[in-house]
């Protein structure tokens, strides 16, 4: 049986300031065989985004981040990578209006919800 090289898997950038939540999200995505980059806030996320050599298929970000909220981060991410799909995680998902090419998942979310959402965006 032939296994594709691991670096062919889409890379997801996870931006979440809560370490435990971030670890859970990363675990789920890695089980789904995505490559994962972790950022605990906007600075780290923007460093990844501004690195042209770093492929990123999707950015998943918490809306409530310190310093700069997820929507502001998304704006900056899109100026660096105009086509980048963005998935917001929010405890107030129903009250968020997301622009084209962006999606939202309500917190708390189940592993299945996260998997379906991510697979739906990247398929």
């Amino acid at each position: 049986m032939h296994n594709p090289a691991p670096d062919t898997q889409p890379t997801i950038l996870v931006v979440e300031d809560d370490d435990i939540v971030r670890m859970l999200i990363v675990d789920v995505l890695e089980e789904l065989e995505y490559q994962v980059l972790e950022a605990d806030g906007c600075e780290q996320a923007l460093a990844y985004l501004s690195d042209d050599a770093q492929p990123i298929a999707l950015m998943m970000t918490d809306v409530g981040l310190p310093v700069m909220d997820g929507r502001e981060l998304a704006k900056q991410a899109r100026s660096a990578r105009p086509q980048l799909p963005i998935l917001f995680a929010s405890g107030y998902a129903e009250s968020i209006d997301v622009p084209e090419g962006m999606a939202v998942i309500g917190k708390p979310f189940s592993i299945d919800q996260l998997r379906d959402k991510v697979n739906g965006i990247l398929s």
Side-chain angles (χ1 to χ4, degrees):
M1 219 165 93
H2 168 81
N3 283 334
D7 62 3
T8 58
Q9 295 300 343
T11 298
I12 300 176
L13 171 58
V14 175
V15 191
E16 167 62 72
D17 60 318
D18 183 318
D19 294 343
I20 293 168
V21 176
R22 193 176 64 247
M23 277 179 358
L24 289 170
I25 294 171
V26 169
D27 281 352
V28 171
L29 295 175
E30 286 179 340
E31 265 175 43
L32 297 171
E33 303 197 333
Y34 291 109
Q35 302 279 320
V36 184
L37 297 170
E38 292 181 62
D40 61 6
C42 301
E43 276 185 30
Q44 208 177 355
L46 290 168
Y48 284 126
L49 290 161
S50 60
D51 176 1
D52 293 336
Q54 174 62 64
I56 298 174
L58 168 68
M59 179 173 80
M60 177 172 180
T61 179
D62 192 29
V63 173
L65 292 169
V67 189
M68 180 195 303
D69 80 5
R71 279 168 292 209
E72 184 55 40
L73 174 60
K75 253 188 226 137
Q76 296 207 16
R78 278 290 178 86
S79 67
R81 299 177 184 236
Q83 301 305 314
L84 182 67
I86 294 169
L87 174 58
F88 293 110
S90 170
Y92 310 97
E94 61 289 336
S95 64
I96 293 186
D97 195 23
V98 295
E100 189 63 37
M102 302 189 190
V104 66
I105 187 168
K107 286 172 138 180
F109 45 80
S110 70
I111 288 171
D112 288 347
Q113 284 172 314
L114 179 60
R115 184 191 59 220
D116 294 347
K117 199 74 154 170
V118 168
N119 288 341
I121 293 169
L122 291 178
S123 63

